[in-house]
């Protein structure tokens, strides 16, 4: 028995932690989509713990291909059944994706609930979602993924109400017909679109402000760095997918220079594509940013592999030429010299910091200031008073540093990117004074 704190509502309820057994089947690369598909039971174990379960045993198998009815072969299935009985586990979690029929067959054979990695991740997202946008996005992903699996979920719900993987769309919806679910998904999409258009208005109002977005593998320390740099109070926890929403804060470097920093949802290898689809709105923040700050946990087992997984998700959402700054974090946990020697050549310009050390946070802040300087200049322009409205976007972001009128002319000192400077000169009839 364990205690799970319900952080959002501030009360604690005792929920029995589920006892889980993990199964990983190693398949040739062709079966796993080419990259990162190999079983990783350590990470799966962390996912189970994050979802509120304890891992009591695990089993791995190497196979040329999955066995259609039960994914694993019959001999291995007997072994697994023994392991489940020995440990008293009530949940079996597969690192591989199962078809609805395979899940059903396994549940029957093992007399325990069976979840695959995607269902587990969806469950964690459902537990951690707190804002309206995150809840809508998770529900949409759940419906998309669970729709073909409803029959199985239904029997699962009857047996296991309250456990891991039961935060599906709810019984009442399961009883209704498919058309109703389709209608619900359409409504979720509509609501998400509404939120997205509000967000775009906000983005327009910060037009011209340099924006950096923290990206990276889950638990890399993005929110820690965000809090260090901006003084924000973003939720930090040693668990996977602590952050599901995008938070944006203004960073004042000095009286004249400022930029925006965004923290957002972390990635994981083989991130279920329904989730990437559904979280497009949240990830839009990354797309809109001028710079991506790719945070890597230096202390993880295989940093390079995490970098590849993150890049793979990014491929689908941002243009290839989006500037990125690599930041190896948690350097306090590794042999710093050895690590830098190993990675600095492959990642020129990368930073090696610790989010727990104020010097590390400052180093990142300075690096961001440097990037800002590279794209923004402060200049003085002269503009006919009749074209004063051309400065409105700059006023909104506090980028007009000084403004004086001489007769019919306005002389303004502004902080602008090259693109904006050119716009003012070619389109608005401004003249560069200095
Ligand atoms: N030792 C050490 N721990 C760190 C460092 N940075 C972050 N952590 C810890 O790593 C864990 C994860 O940190 P978060 O900042 O929540 O990571 P995140 O990337 O925002 O994670 P998600 O929101 O779950 O994707 C927390 O327990 C932090 O205290 C660091 O530089 N050194
Ligand atoms: Mg976070």
């Amino acid at each position: 028995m364990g205690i799970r704190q319900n952080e959002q509502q501030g009360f604690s309820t005792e929920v029995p932690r589920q006892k889980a057994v993990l199964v990983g089947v190693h398949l040739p690369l062709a079966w796993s989509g080419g990259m990162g598909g190999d079983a990783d039971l350590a990470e799966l174990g962390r996912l189970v713990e994050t979802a509120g379960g304890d891992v009591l045993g695990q089993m791995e198998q190497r196979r040329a291909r999955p066995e259609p009815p039960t994914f694993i072969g019959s001999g291995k299935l007997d072994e697994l059944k023994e392991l489940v009985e020995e440990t008293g586990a009530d949940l079996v979690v597969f690192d591989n994706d199962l078809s609805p029929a395979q899940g059903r067959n396994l549940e029957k054979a093992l007399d325990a609930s069976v979840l695959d990695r995607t269902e587990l991740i969806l469950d964690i997202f459902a537990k951690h979602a707190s804002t309206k946008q995150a809840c809508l996005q998770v529900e949409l992903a759940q419906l998309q993924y669970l729709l073909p699996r409803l029959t199985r979920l239904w029997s699962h719900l009857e047996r296991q109400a309250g456990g891991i993987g039961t935060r599906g769309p709810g019984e009442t919806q399961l009883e209704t017909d498919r058309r109703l679910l389709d209608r619900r998904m359409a409504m979720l999409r509509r609501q998400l679109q509404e939120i997205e258009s509000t967000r775009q208005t906000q983005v327009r109002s910060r037009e011209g402000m340099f924006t950096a977005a923290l990206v990276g593998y889950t638990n890399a320390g993005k929110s820690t760095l965000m809090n260090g740099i901006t003084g924000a109070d973003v939720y930090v926890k040693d668990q996977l997918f602590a952050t599901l929403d995008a938070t944006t804060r203004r960073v004042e470097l000095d009286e004249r220079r400022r930029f925006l920093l965004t923290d957002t949802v972390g990635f994981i290898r083989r991130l279920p594509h329904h989730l990437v689809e559904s979280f497009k709105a949240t990830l839009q923040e990354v797309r809109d940013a001028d710079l991506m700050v790719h945070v890597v946990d230096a202390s993880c087992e295989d940093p390079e592999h995490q970098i590849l997984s993150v890049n793979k998700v990014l491929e689908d959402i941002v243009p290839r030429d989006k500037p990125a700054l690599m930041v190896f974090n948690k350097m306090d946990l590794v042999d710093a010299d050895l690590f830098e020697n190993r990675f600095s050549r492959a990642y020129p310009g990368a930073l090696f910091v610790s989010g727990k050390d104020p010097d590390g946070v400052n180093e990142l802040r300075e690096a961001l200031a440097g990037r800002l300087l590279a794209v923004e200049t402060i200049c003085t322009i002269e503009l006919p008073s009749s074209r004063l409205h051309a400065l409105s976007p700059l006023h909104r972001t506090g980028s007009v540093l000084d403004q004086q009128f001489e007769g019919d002319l306005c002389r303004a000192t502004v902080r602008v990117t090259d693109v904006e400077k050119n716009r003012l000169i070619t389109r608005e009839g401004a003249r560069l004074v200095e």
Side-chain angles (χ1 to χ4, degrees):
M1 296 281 272
I3 296 186
R4 193 166 66 207
Q5 181 85 17
N6 188 327
E7 328 246 350
Q8 256 84 46
Q9 291 165 45
F11 60 83
S12 85
T13 37
E14 255 190 60
V15 175
R17 289 180 72 85
Q18 271 185 285
K19 288 178 275 182
V21 164
L22 312 181
V23 183
V25 179
H26 301 262
L27 297 164
L29 274 186
W31 277 100
S32 53
M35 200 211 79
D38 220 6
D40 179 352
L41 292 191
E43 183 170 86
L44 189 67
R46 292 218 55 204
L47 286 166
V48 167
E49 280 158 18
T50 299
D54 292 321
V55 178
L56 300 185
Q58 64 180 59
M59 216 184 73
E60 288 179 75
Q61 189 186 23
R62 199 162 287 283
R63 288 187 68 88
R65 66 179 68 86
E67 187 73 24
T70 50
F71 207 89
I72 49 175
S74 60
K76 210 66 190 172
L77 184 58
D78 289 341
E79 249 180 71
L80 179 58
K81 192 165 171 54
E82 257 174 51
L83 183 61
V84 168
E85 280 164 7
E86 251 171 50
T87 53
D90 45 19
L91 178 69
V92 177
V93 185
F94 273 71
D95 197 49
N96 315 77
D97 280 341
L98 301 172
S99 74
Q102 285 164 347
R104 224 170 16 245
N105 294 338
L106 284 164
E107 290 196 332
K108 211 184 278 166
L110 296 168
D111 195 23
S113 305
V114 173
L115 286 181
D116 65 20
R117 189 171 176 277
T118 298
E119 288 171 305
L120 185 63
I121 292 176
L122 281 171
D123 188 64
I124 295 172
F125 269 66
K127 285 197 176 95
H128 292 183
S130 58
T131 63
K132 184 168 175 212
Q133 187 183 27
C135 291
L136 294 173
Q137 292 180 133
V138 171
E139 189 181 346
L140 185 60
Q142 282 182 319
L143 289 176
Q144 278 169 338
Y145 186 77
L146 297 178
L147 203 55
R149 294 166 165 76
L150 287 181
T151 357
R152 193 179 128 223
L153 186 78
W154 179 234
S155 54
H156 175 74
L157 268 179
E158 281 178 332
R159 187 151 11 108
Q160 276 291 348
I164 300 176
T166 57
R167 294 218 176 184
E171 277 182 37
T172 50
Q173 279 166 14
L174 297 177
E175 288 159 353
T176 58
D177 62 19
R178 207 192 154 87
R179 222 175 50 229
L180 213 60
L181 288 181
D182 282 343
R183 227 187 290 160
R184 171 107 193 124
M185 289 203 276
M187 198 197 70
L188 291 171
R189 287 202 184 90
R190 226 175 18 249
Q191 289 188 352
L192 281 168
Q193 262 162 18
E194 275 166 30
I195 295 178
E196 172 60 14
S197 51
T198 320
R199 195 193 65 86
Q200 281 191 350
T201 322
Q202 286 161 2
V203 169
R204 266 197 299 277
S205 77
R206 68 189 194 216
E207 207 172 353
M209 256 229 243
F210 183 81
T211 306
L214 294 158
V215 296
Y217 212 79
T218 179
N219 211 47
K222 300 176 295 298
S223 301
T224 304
L225 291 169
M226 170 82 176
N227 290 344
I229 290 178
T230 66
D233 191 18
V234 177
Y235 185 55
V236 169
K237 194 149 188 224
D238 191 14
Q239 64 177 18
L240 306 182
F241 303 114
T243 308
L244 289 189
D245 301 291
T247 308
T248 301
R249 289 277 183 285
R250 183 191 288 238
V251 182
E252 311 273 347
L253 289 169
D254 53 46
E255 274 170 21
R256 297 187 136 198
R257 291 186 191 278
R258 59 188 68 162
F259 67 94
L260 296 171
L261 187 63
T262 296
D263 176 33
T264 184
V265 57
F267 301 157
I268 196 164
R269 83 201 165 96
R270 294 195 281 131
L271 191 63
H273 79 269
H274 292 301
L275 272 178
V276 180
E277 266 305 303
S278 306
F279 274 74
K280 276 249 157 82
T282 302
L283 294 170
Q284 190 70 26
E285 297 281 345
V286 177
R287 206 189 173 118
D288 291 337
D290 299 290
L291 172 74
M292 288 190 301
V293 181
H294 185 160
V295 183
V296 185
D297 179 350
S299 73
C300 77
E301 205 175 318
D302 189 353
E304 219 127 34
H305 194 255
Q306 291 206 346
I307 294 171
L308 282 178
S309 307
V310 170
N311 285 342
K312 195 152 174 55
V313 182
L314 286 173
E315 257 174 33
D316 295 336
I317 48 174
V318 292
R320 267 184 185 282
D321 56 353
K322 168 95 46 197
L325 169 67
M326 293 298 292
V327 178
F328 291 93
N329 186 38
K330 307 197 189 182
M331 288 298 288
D332 56 302
L333 298 179
V334 297
D335 180 329
D337 291 339
L338 217 64
F339 190 91
E340 276 200 52
N341 271 341
R342 196 174 141 211
F343 284 92
S344 54
R345 192 145 0 132
Y347 298 96
L351 300 186
F352 298 88
V353 303
S354 165
K356 299 237 160 166
D357 172 7
D359 287 346
V361 172
N362 255 339
E363 202 183 322
L364 176 55
R365 205 180 151 95
E366 289 301 314
L368 292 173
R371 295 288 185 130
L372 177 67
L373 269 177
V375 294
E376 277 190 4
T377 47
I378 292 179
C379 59
T380 303
I381 51 167
E382 252 175 20
L383 190 78
S385 298
S386 60
R387 308 301 289 263
L388 217 50
H389 61 267
L391 296 181
S392 311
L394 298 178
H395 274 296
R396 275 204 294 275
T397 55
S399 303
V400 180
L401 307 174
D402 186 39
Q403 186 170 308
Q404 282 169 23
F405 293 91
E406 283 168 26
D408 217 16
L409 281 180
C410 166
R411 182 184 275 240
T413 303
V414 292
R415 179 183 46 222
V416 282
T417 61
D418 283 347
V419 178
E420 283 170 308
K421 189 164 86 181
N422 289 337
R423 177 183 69 92
L424 289 169
I425 294 168
T426 56
R427 306 246 314 261
E428 308 291 352
R431 191 176 69 82
L432 197 60
V433 179
E434 59 180 70

